[in-house]
Amino acid sequence: MIWCVEDDESIREIELYSLEMTGFEARGFADGSSFFAALEDEKPDLILLDIMLPGMDGMEILQRLKMEEKTADIPVIMATAKGAEHEKVRSLDIGADDHLVKPFGMMEMISRVKAVLRRCKKKEGGIVLKAGGILLNAEERTVFVDRVRTELTLKEFELLRLFLERPGFAYRREQLFLKVWGDNFVGETRTLDMHIRTLRQKLGEYGDMIETVRGVGYRLEEKP
């Protein structure tokens, strides 16, 4: 999903049409307030962001995006005016991924969108799942708690990964057994409880984020 933040309706409609004709899903916004309202419910794969906007300008929007943990990793392509070199430099310093200089062609826009998405996809192996001070890298199979490497057993690691992948979701005990131990598990039902107890201990002050859901199982609830 590509989001276009552009106050000129005719330009915005051309951008959306071009993206959709190339196979992308796309949404358009005329200002920062409608953009951030939508961001509460959905997260785009990339944002095309014009600098000259009514109210909150593009630079302010970019800065806010990069300051928020939940949106800092969203790729952003800025649309800048011709000759506005200072705007390009400043937005790069804030965290923009690329630029389009107005007026630009739709073929160039599509090409830059695809290029930025490819670059971001290559970085995915290094992306970690996180909650509180816990960082888990699934590819490297490492866990850090407050930047300190923490050794987990295979089962503890898989349990933590499940919880971090779906924070707030209450896993039934049967689901956890199936996903972590497999359908051929033979053993005591308290095996899960023992692994949860040792996992909580290893996570230190963040261990209480793994909550017991009475009559159901367990979930991870990130503390405010």
Side-chain angles (χ1 to χ4, degrees), residues 138-149:
E139 183 174 302
E140 298 176 359
R141 299 195 68 81
T142 56
V143 174
F144 289 83
V145 178
D146 284 337
R147 300 184 181 181
V148 177
R149 178 76 173 266

Side-chain angles (χ1 to χ4, degrees), residues 77-95:
I77 298 177
M78 301 295 290
T80 60
K82 187 175 182 180
E85 189 70 19
H86 64 287
E87 291 181 342
K88 180 178 179 180
V89 171
R90 187 182 166 206
S91 60
L92 282 171
D93 287 341
I94 295 173

Side-chain angles (χ1 to χ4, degrees), residues 139-195:
E139 183 174 302
E140 298 176 359
R141 299 195 68 81
T142 56
V143 174
F144 289 83
V145 178
D146 284 337
R147 300 184 181 181
V148 177
R149 178 76 173 266
T150 303
E151 296 298 332
L152 300 183
T153 67
L154 175 63
K155 304 302 185 189
E156 290 166 353
F157 184 92
E158 293 303 325
L159 284 167
L160 181 59
R161 178 163 66 170
L162 285 173
F163 290 135
L164 291 174
E165 284 176 343
R166 299 187 69 180
F169 179 79
Y171 285 96
R172 299 193 310 276
R173 296 173 62 85
E174 311 85 71
Q175 286 178 300
L176 292 171
F177 270 119
L178 182 62
K179 290 178 178 290
V180 177
W181 279 270
D183 53 9
N184 295 320
F185 173 74
V186 177
E188 297 182 13
T189 57
R190 288 191 55 78
T191 297
L192 173 61
D193 303 314
M194 290 187 290
H195 278 78

Side-chain angles (χ1 to χ4, degrees), residues 53-167:
L53 293 169
M56 187 185 306
D57 67 24
M59 209 69 78
E60 292 176 88
I61 292 174
L62 177 65
Q63 195 160 28
R64 183 169 160 184
L65 285 168
K66 296 305 174 181
M67 287 176 64
E68 293 287 335
E69 185 177 340
K70 292 181 179 179
T71 57
D73 62 336
I74 303 175
V76 179
I77 298 177
M78 301 295 290
T80 60
K82 187 175 182 180
E85 189 70 19
H86 64 287
E87 291 181 342
K88 180 178 179 180
V89 171
R90 187 182 166 206
S91 60
L92 282 171
D93 287 341
I94 295 173
D97 295 88
D98 201 352
H99 281 83
L100 283 163
V101 178
K102 287 186 169 183
F104 52 83
M106 292 301 102
M107 289 182 67
E108 180 189 2
M109 180 192 75
I110 296 299
S111 178
R112 288 185 181 273
V113 165
K114 289 180 177 179
V116 170
L117 288 174
R118 280 196 303 272
R119 290 204 301 269
C120 293
K121 189 173 182 181
K122 289 178 184 177
K123 299 175 186 176
E124 285 180 358
I127 293 177
V128 296
L129 299 169
K130 54 188 175 180
I134 305 167
L135 300 177
L136 180 149
N137 188 307
E139 183 174 302
E140 298 176 359
R141 299 195 68 81
T142 56
V143 174
F144 289 83
V145 178
D146 284 337
R147 300 184 181 181
V148 177
R149 178 76 173 266
T150 303
E151 296 298 332
L152 300 183
T153 67
L154 175 63
K155 304 302 185 189
E156 290 166 353
F157 184 92
E158 293 303 325
L159 284 167
L160 181 59
R161 178 163 66 170
L162 285 173
F163 290 135
L164 291 174
E165 284 176 343
R166 299 187 69 180

